[in-house]
Amino acid sequence: MPWYAMGLSILATQASAITFISTTGQGYIDGMRFVQFYFGLPIAMVILCATAVPIFHRAKVYTAYEYLEQRFDARTRALVSIVFLIQRGLAAGIGLYAPAVALASVLGWSDRLITVIIGALVVTYTATGGIKALTWADVQQMTMIFIGLITSLVIVIHALPPGISFVDALHLAGAAGRLNIVRPEGDLNDRYTLWSGLIGGGFLALAYFGCDQSQVQRYLTGKSIAQSRLSLLFNALVKIPMQLFILFIGAMVFVLYLFVPSPIIFQPTEAGRASRTAGWKPVEASYRLAFEQRRDAAYRLAGATRHRTTETIPTVSTFRAAQKNFNQNRQRALQLIEQLHGGEKFDDTNYIFLSFVKSYLPIGLLGLVIGVIFSASMGSTSGEINSLATVSVIDIYRRYFVRGRGDRHYLIASRFLTVFWGAYAVAFASIGSHGFGALIERVNIVGSLFYGGLLGVFVLAFFCKRVGGTGAFYGVLAGETAIFATARFTSISFLWYNVIGCIVVVAAGLLLSFLQPSAEPSFGRRPV
């Protein structure tokens, strides 16, 4: 494959329906500081170009985990393959749920029913396709994603009320804290800071692009090492600007809803249920009053900023106080939903952008955007399921259960395993849908629970030549134990899980090789 096809395919795997639905919502709720999550990605891409790409190409492997048997032993390969299968299967479920959110909001159907329908479609065409077909489909889908994003931004700016210019919108978004990109604080409990992005996000990117088969299989299809390197460097240049653009759309939707009444609850089904409760009317009345106060404060701030009056600073304070009051009233409405669900936390972030799309896009463009969300998520999920089936066949089935059969046998096995992983993703999406919260966060949290262990074992493989299979195997177990203990017993941001896991794996592997100096390192061992 050429570099631009691989590059767009890698980008498309990340820019799925979650990009449309959840990243814009993240920009609306929390501003643009989420982009710090990607600050370590360009550094990671350069490191991978120098290490993983040439090593994997020269090893002539189908999966990244085949290399671990060459470098260590069969049990390390099996363990890491199983870790990948668990985490990528969970992530595929989250990705599969994203278009169900969109279509349930538009069509009024059950999101679980839509998840099953989409899952069946994805499994059907993934089982009959291959990585080459998926890659070229991703190229077309990325083109449509860019068109959809640009269209959405033009529409939201055009929808601003008369008298509010684009410059006014920027001032208002800034006053509300929606344009704050960099937070240099060193708080480990804050998910998105400069340091968590550079270090934690960098480790996550190294693990995702260097150890996750759904990404590695993309650049393993390259015509040459140089072409594979170009595909990664393309992502290093494009990813951060693209995420900034998407978050900016969410910030502009926030500005629009300063002047236009927005739903109290963006999830229409839950809003309907809440409206029938006894405590709804007082909450609704208070919310409407808070909206009017915030709208008036926003108009005054826009006028004071435009004319540079001495009232600008006091007006900013008034606007922020009105925004705080508005947030508190909306939180009361969200708490009503939580009460209906027995105290389970409720988050409607994933429905914010869809609410805007339904209300402001004309019929033809609405269909286009929904189609883009649908196809992009299907393309992303199909790639994940394809990688799951590939690892299942090559690293588990062919290695341990049925050896020496022809290609046709393994092709049929891969189709059966594609069906299995599709059903697994559908089941997880259906069971866990109400607890997903913001999808863009949830998919990265799931990955961070496992990526530190994966990254650590590849660091041992690439750079610690004296570490053998025993050190690598038990190092992965120690790393995963450390990650889950950190997640269970601390409030440290999930981005640091990747750093903690990697460090523990490397330290445990080196310690075991030091305690067993007589053990021969298994570098160069070929699979049986």
Side-chain angles (χ1 to χ4, degrees):
M1 303 296 292
W3 69 268
Y4 60 87
M6 289 184 290
L8 287 171
S9 180
I10 291 170
L11 200 61
T13 306
Q14 307 157 67
S16 64
I18 293 176
T19 300
F20 272 90
I21 293 170
S22 194
T23 308
T24 45
Q26 190 75 15
Y28 180 101
I29 293 292
D30 195 39
M32 298 177 65
R33 71 191 189 103
F34 178 74
V35 77
Q36 295 170 112
F37 174 83
Y38 299 98
F39 281 1
L41 186 143
I43 301 171
M45 292 303 192
V46 173
I47 294 172
L48 292 174
C49 285
T51 56
V53 171
I55 289 173
F56 287 148
H57 268 272
R58 289 166 186 157
K60 300 186 183 302
V61 293
Y62 284 102
T63 74
Y65 318 119
E66 280 185 276
Y67 173 77
L68 292 178
E69 183 169 2
Q70 296 180 19
R71 172 63 179 84
F72 295 123
D73 53 28
R75 64 175 178 172
T76 302
R77 173 185 178 182
L79 174 63
V80 175
S81 298
I82 291 169
V83 170
F84 164 77
L85 292 173
I86 294 171
Q87 78 85 14
R88 182 47 56 190
L90 299 178
I94 297 174
L96 190 60
Y97 180 64
V101 171
L103 294 179
S105 177
V106 173
L107 302 176
W109 296 359
S110 163
D111 51 27
R112 291 184 176 179
L113 172 62
I114 297 173
T115 299
V116 173
I117 294 172
I118 295 175
L121 291 171
V122 167
V123 166
T124 299
Y125 78 80
T126 303
T128 57
I131 185 62
K132 188 171 185 177
L134 296 177
T135 300
W136 284 115
D138 287 341
V139 172
Q140 299 173 37
Q141 287 162 354
M142 273 311 302
T143 303
M144 295 306 299
I145 284 174
F146 285 130
I147 292 173
L149 289 171
I150 293 170
T151 301
S152 299
L153 181 60
V154 170
I155 293 293
V156 70
I157 293 174
H158 178 73
L160 291 171
I164 300 297
S165 67
F166 178 63
V167 175
D168 294 333
L170 292 178
H171 283 301
L172 290 167
R178 295 307 188 270
L179 300 185
N180 294 340
I181 296 176
V182 177
R183 289 176 61 89
E185 295 87 349
D187 185 0
L188 293 178
N189 296 324
D190 190 343
R191 285 185 174 178
Y192 307 117
T193 67
L194 174 63
W195 304 112
S196 69
L198 282 174
I199 301 174
F203 272 70
L204 177 58
L206 281 170
Y208 181 53
F209 293 98
C211 313
D212 190 311
Q213 177 63 17
S214 68
Q215 298 304 306
V216 173
Q217 71 179 10
R218 257 64 176 186
Y219 55 81
L220 282 179
T221 64
K223 292 180 179 179
S224 64
I225 292 175
Q227 292 283 303
S228 295
R229 282 171 168 164
L230 283 173
S231 70
L232 292 180
L233 293 176
F234 170 78
N235 274 264
L237 292 173
V238 173
K239 182 62 177 178
I240 292 177
M242 188 182 81
Q243 291 300 129
L244 273 172
F245 186 73
I246 297 167
L247 289 164
F248 183 71
I249 293 173
M252 289 298 100
V253 172
F254 168 82
V255 173
L256 174 64
Y257 283 141
L258 291 176
F259 303 100
V260 179
S262 61
I264 308 180
I265 304 296
F266 287 95
Q267 214 279 30
T269 304
E270 297 296 340
R273 289 184 61 193
S275 66
R276 294 188 291 271
T277 62
W280 179 257
K281 288 188 177 180
V283 170
E284 185 178 33
S286 180
Y287 176 84
R288 296 303 174 194
L289 178 60
F291 163 75
E292 292 170 4
Q293 292 172 344
R294 187 183 67 164
R295 180 188 59 194
D296 295 341
Y299 272 119
R300 289 196 299 271
L301 177 57
T305 305
R306 191 182 310 123
H307 297 102
R308 301 179 184 275
T309 68
T310 56
E311 298 296 319
T312 300
I313 295 177
T315 308
V316 169
S317 299
T318 302
F319 170 71
R320 288 176 176 169
Q323 175 64 40
K324 183 178 180 180
N325 182 50
F326 177 86
N327 290 340
Q328 291 171 346
N329 279 277
R330 188 170 121 78
Q331 188 60 40
R332 289 174 58 195
L334 293 174
Q335 288 170 354
L336 283 178
I337 303 294
E338 292 174 358
Q339 291 172 11
L340 291 174
H341 289 285
E344 180 183 350
K345 184 174 176 56
F346 177 76
D347 189 334
D348 62 350
T349 302
N350 303 318
Y351 293 85
I352 293 172
F353 180 67
L354 296 170
S355 175
F356 159 74
V357 165
K358 286 171 58 181
S359 301
Y360 288 93
L361 265 64
I363 294 297
L365 290 178
L366 171 60
L368 172 66
V369 170
I370 293 299
V372 168
I373 292 173
F374 188 89
S375 63
S377 184
M378 290 180 71
S380 172
T381 305
S382 66
E384 292 175 327
I385 291 175
N386 177 262
S387 68
L388 288 164
T390 300
V391 171
S392 298
V393 171
I394 293 178
D395 293 298
I396 304 297
Y397 181 76
R398 191 176 71 179
R399 178 66 181 83
Y400 293 101
F401 293 98
V402 180
R403 301 187 184 186
R405 301 293 292 271
D407 286 344
R408 179 172 177 78
H409 173 85
Y410 295 117
L411 173 63
I412 294 172
S414 72
R415 287 175 173 167
F416 277 109
L417 284 164
T418 298
V419 174
F420 167 79
W421 285 113
Y424 179 96
V426 168
F428 179 65
S430 300
I431 294 170
S433 60
H434 293 294
F436 280 161
L439 290 168
I440 190 65
E441 286 190 329
R442 190 58 51 189
V443 72
N444 288 307
I445 291 172
V446 169
S448 294
L449 290 171
F450 299 93
Y451 279 142
L454 293 179
L455 179 59
V457 75
F458 279 96
V459 170
L460 290 175
F462 292 166
F463 303 110
C464 304
K465 301 303 182 185
R466 294 192 59 81
V467 176
T470 299
F473 181 84
Y474 288 105
V476 173
L477 293 178
E480 286 303 310
T481 301
I483 291 171
F484 278 91
T486 302
R488 176 66 178 84
F489 298 110
T490 75
S491 57
I492 293 175
S493 168
F494 70 87
L495 283 173
W496 294 104
Y497 299 170
N498 304 283
V499 181
I500 293 168
C502 180
I503 291 174
V504 171
V505 171
V506 173
L510 290 172
L511 178 63
L512 282 170
S513 60
F514 175 77
L515 294 175
Q516 295 181 318
S518 60
E520 289 292 328
S522 55
F523 178 73
R525 182 180 298 167
R526 302 296 299 180
V528 178

